[in-house]
């Protein structure tokens, strides 16, 4: 018997406007949560910051686009973005041998800016039996019981020797990608610049933009012991991300208002910007909630069933078949 998974596309891929709305959400989150913590506390918390205020508080930094790219990749995985999910599915099933339920992502709580901690959220999504697979020999580590140790190791290098050697460097992870069923996860680094990838025993997957085309292949880097998973670029996820990034930046640079047409000439971009301008008096979190209703619902459902495979030749070592089915 084999397991057959049929991915059925439930609707046509939406317009560029819907795609832009989808990436605007994590970009706003990334910018909001990268604000200086002391300033946020003075204001009274993230839920007190309006779009207009965000434009005044935001100070551009070298790593801003990278932080927002992390949020965008995470958001795309948990919301079943087909441009991203196909690559993640291949990385998990083919290279990590993690098969089962739908791929998902947990945003790790140690932001490199120190501005945001999501440790409680990480622990909420993990169970006592959650396993971390590293690609190294030995038994997988139970991830949940080591989360606080990983956080301590990030903050204090002297704490790093207390971690099991098999997860050394796990504090460099941006996401934990895996499947809630069978509750297996891999430490994942997300880099907008492929040259910035750092290897570590605790890391297994590196998500980066594709170099040249949509056909940039997933590959195993034997030297770094990392699965390199490029996100599709031309007319796809990375290009849409950069476009959304430019829209949000120009909006903030214009004091949370629609900039002049020479700065933002495309009608779709200006429409997104106008939607933001109309909400500039609302908090960023309220705006994010409003935009959630404008993104396209899940494009895929997964139908699973068992089937027999007959062969006139030798026994077939096939455990699972995944088949995409287009919208009709």
């Amino acid at each position: 018997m084999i397991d057959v998974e049929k991915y059925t596309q439930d609707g046509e891929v939406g317009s560029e406007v819907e795609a832009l709305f989808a990436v605007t959400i994590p970009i706003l989150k990334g910018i909001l949560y990268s604000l200086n913590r002391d300033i946020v506390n003075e204001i009274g918390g993230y839920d007190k910051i309006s779009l207009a205020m965000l434009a005044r508080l935001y100070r551009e930094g070298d790593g801003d686009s990278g932080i927002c790219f992390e949020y965008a990749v995470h958001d795309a995985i948990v919301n079943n973005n087909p441009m991203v999910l196909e690559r993640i599915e291949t990385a998990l099933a083919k290279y990590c041998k993690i098969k089962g339920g739908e791929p998902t992502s947990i945003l790790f709580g140690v932001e490199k800016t120190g501005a945001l901690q999501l440790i409680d959220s990480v622990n909420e999504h993990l169970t006592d039996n959650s396993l971390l697979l590293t690609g190294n020999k030995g038994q997988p580590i139970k991830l949940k019981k080591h989360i606080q140790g990983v956080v301590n190791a990030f903050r204090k290098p002297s704490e790093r020797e207390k971690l099991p050697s098999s997860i050394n460097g796990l504090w460099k992870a941006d996401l934990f990608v895996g499947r809630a069923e069978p509750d297996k996860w891999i430490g994942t680094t997300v880099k907008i610049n492929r040259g910035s990838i750092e290897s570590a025993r605790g890391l297994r997957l590196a998500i980066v933009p594709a170099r040249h085309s949509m056909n940039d292949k997933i590959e195993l880097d034997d030297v770094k012991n990392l699965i390199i998973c490029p996100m599709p670029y031309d007319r796809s996820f990375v290009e849409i991300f950069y476009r959304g990034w430019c829209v949000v930046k120009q909006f903030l640079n214009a004091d949370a208002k629609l900039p002049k047409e020479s700065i933002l000439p495309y009608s779709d971009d200006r429409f997104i910007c106008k939607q933001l301008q109309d909400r500039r008096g609302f908090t960023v979190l309220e705006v994010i909630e409003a935009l959630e209703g404008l993104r396209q619902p899940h494009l895929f459902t997964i139908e699973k069933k068992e089937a027999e495979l007959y062969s006139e030749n030798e026994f077939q070592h096939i455990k699972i078949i995944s088949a995409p089915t287009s919208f009709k």
Side-chain angles (χ1 to χ4, degrees):
M1 302 291 289
I2 60 171
D3 293 325
V4 178
E5 293 184 354
K6 183 172 70 172
Y7 286 73
T8 303
Q9 186 176 337
D10 296 329
E12 294 176 327
V13 175
S15 67
E16 289 187 2
V17 169
E18 288 178 308
L20 285 169
F21 272 129
V23 297
T24 297
I25 294 167
I27 290 171
L28 287 174
K29 285 182 181 177
I31 292 174
L32 175 67
Y33 291 129
S34 65
L35 292 175
N36 183 282
R37 174 74 67 83
D38 293 335
I39 294 176
V40 173
N41 289 339
E42 282 184 25
I43 294 170
Y46 295 109
D47 59 346
K48 305 297 183 183
I49 299 174
S50 67
L51 269 184
M53 192 181 297
L54 182 67
R56 293 173 172 82
L57 294 176
Y58 172 62
R59 296 292 181 269
E60 186 174 358
D62 291 339
D64 294 346
S65 61
I67 291 173
C68 292
F69 187 63
E70 294 169 16
Y71 276 80
V73 169
H74 166 74
D75 184 87
I77 296 172
V78 298
N79 285 288
N80 293 342
N81 185 320
M83 294 181 286
V84 172
L85 205 63
E86 181 183 8
R87 295 289 177 101
I88 298 300
E89 172 65 38
T90 300
L92 290 177
K94 180 178 179 180
Y95 290 89
C96 300
K97 310 303 179 187
I98 301 176
K99 299 173 182 178
E102 292 186 48
T104 190
S105 169
I106 302 172
L107 188 64
F108 189 34
V110 185
E111 287 295 324
K112 307 309 183 267
T113 61
L116 174 66
Q117 294 180 12
L118 293 173
I119 308 306
D120 289 342
S121 177
V122 173
N123 285 325
E124 180 184 337
H125 285 85
L126 297 176
T127 73
D128 292 338
N129 295 316
S130 297
L131 297 179
L132 181 77
L133 279 59
T134 63
N136 300 302
K137 292 182 179 180
Q139 291 295 318
I141 291 288
K142 289 193 174 182
L143 179 57
K144 187 173 184 177
K145 76 175 188 176
H146 291 290
I147 287 296
Q148 190 59 54
V150 172
V151 175
N152 296 339
F154 170 77
R155 293 172 177 166
K156 296 181 180 180
S158 60
E159 294 286 319
R160 295 174 184 178
E161 62 185 23
K162 298 179 181 180
L163 289 176
S165 60
S166 61
I167 59 172
N168 181 56
L170 186 59
W171 54 85
K172 298 179 182 180
D174 300 304
L175 310 174
F176 294 123
V177 174
R179 306 183 198 269
E181 176 61 44
D183 206 2
K184 294 181 179 179
W185 307 88
I186 51 177
T188 303
T189 178
V190 181
K191 297 295 182 185
I192 203 165
N193 181 350
R194 190 184 290 231
S196 301
I197 295 175
E198 297 182 30
S199 61
R201 286 179 61 85
L203 298 178
R204 185 56 174 157
L205 181 67
I207 298 176
V208 295
R211 278 175 172 162
H212 303 296
S213 71
M214 295 178 67
N215 296 320
D216 215 353
K217 295 181 179 179
I218 299 173
E219 59 186 4
L220 176 63
D221 186 324
D222 292 319
V223 176
K224 295 184 175 181
N225 194 32
L226 283 173
I227 301 158
I228 310 299
C229 183
M231 290 293 104
Y233 203 116
D234 295 344
R235 300 177 302 281
S236 195
F237 177 73
V238 177
E239 185 174 304
I240 292 169
F241 166 77
Y242 274 122
R243 188 169 167 186
W245 169 248
C246 290
V247 169
V248 174
K249 278 195 66 176
Q250 297 291 12
F251 170 73
L252 295 177
N253 289 342
D255 194 28
K257 297 177 182 176
L258 182 67
K260 59 184 180 180
E261 194 168 353
S262 61
I263 294 177
L264 215 60
Y266 298 114
S267 59
D268 288 347
D269 298 353
R270 294 181 66 80
F271 177 78
I272 299 295
C273 222
K274 181 64 165 56
Q275 295 296 309
L276 296 177
Q277 177 183 260
D278 292 345
R279 296 170 172 83
R280 69 190 304 274
F282 292 95
T283 68
V284 180
L285 295 179
E286 287 175 324
V287 174
I288 288 171
E289 183 180 6
L291 297 184
E292 287 281 3
L294 299 176
R295 73 156 80 236
Q296 188 172 8
H298 294 345
L299 288 177
F300 287 97
T301 57
I302 302 177
E303 177 187 345
K304 298 185 179 184
K305 62 181 180 179
E306 290 186 340
E308 294 185 359
L309 181 67
Y310 297 96
S311 172
E312 296 179 357
N313 302 315
E314 61 185 48
F315 178 74
Q316 302 293 308
H317 296 279
I318 298 175
K319 301 291 187 182
I320 190 168
I321 294 177
S322 296
T325 305
S326 62
F327 171 76
K328 296 180 180 179

